[in-house]
């Protein structure tokens, strides 16, 4: 089964580049280089906290650090102008 992290529409990918998955402190983050108001690139990241593997699906319950990465593998990002989709084999 492949788990997909579902969230609302996003627009950060329109002003960010080098969007990637990073691991830090036993957590998973989506990191990028994003333009600020002055047009300079700044490092940015957000953690996938609250996402867990529940019976082969990525589920957001908002509780604690995300734990899905302990039982999922082959994390992938699909970046397009309309969305950023995170998926993993769970």
């Amino acid at each position: 089964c492949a788990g997909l992290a579902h969230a609302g529409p996003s627009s950060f990918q329109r002003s960010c580049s080098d969007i990637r998955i990073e691991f830090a402190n036993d957590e998973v983050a989506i990191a990028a280089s994003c333009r600020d108001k002055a047009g300079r690139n700044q490092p940015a990241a957000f953690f996938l906290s609250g996402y867990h593997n529940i019976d082969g699906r990525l589920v957001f319950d908002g509780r604690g650090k995300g734990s899905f990465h302990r039982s999922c593998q082959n994390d992938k990002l699909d970046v397009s102008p309309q969305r950023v989709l995170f998926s993993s084999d769970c």
Side-chain angles (χ1 to χ4, degrees):
C1 292
L4 299 174
H6 293 281
S10 66
S11 62
F12 81 92
Q13 70 274 18
R14 294 184 194 130
S15 60
C16 298
S17 60
D18 190 26
I19 300 170
R20 64 200 177 278
I21 301 166
E22 287 189 351
F23 298 89
N25 300 322
D26 197 35
E27 287 194 83
V28 178
I30 296 178
S33 178
C34 300
R35 286 189 308 273
D36 63 16
K37 290 180 182 180
R40 296 176 301 236
N41 285 332
Q42 303 290 334
F46 60 91
F47 288 94
L48 297 178
S49 299
Y51 281 95
H52 306 278
N53 175 8
I54 307 296
D55 197 26
R57 295 179 321 139
L58 288 177
V59 176
F60 178 76
D61 68 6
R63 293 189 221 153
K65 290 182 177 184
S67 64
F68 69 90
H69 61 286
R70 295 184 193 125
S71 58
C72 300
Q73 57 190 6
N74 300 322
D75 299 335
K76 296 179 252 355
L77 284 178
D78 177 20
V79 180
S80 72
Q82 295 78 28
R83 66 184 179 144
V84 175
L85 179 68
F86 174 82
S87 63
S88 189
D89 295 330
C90 301

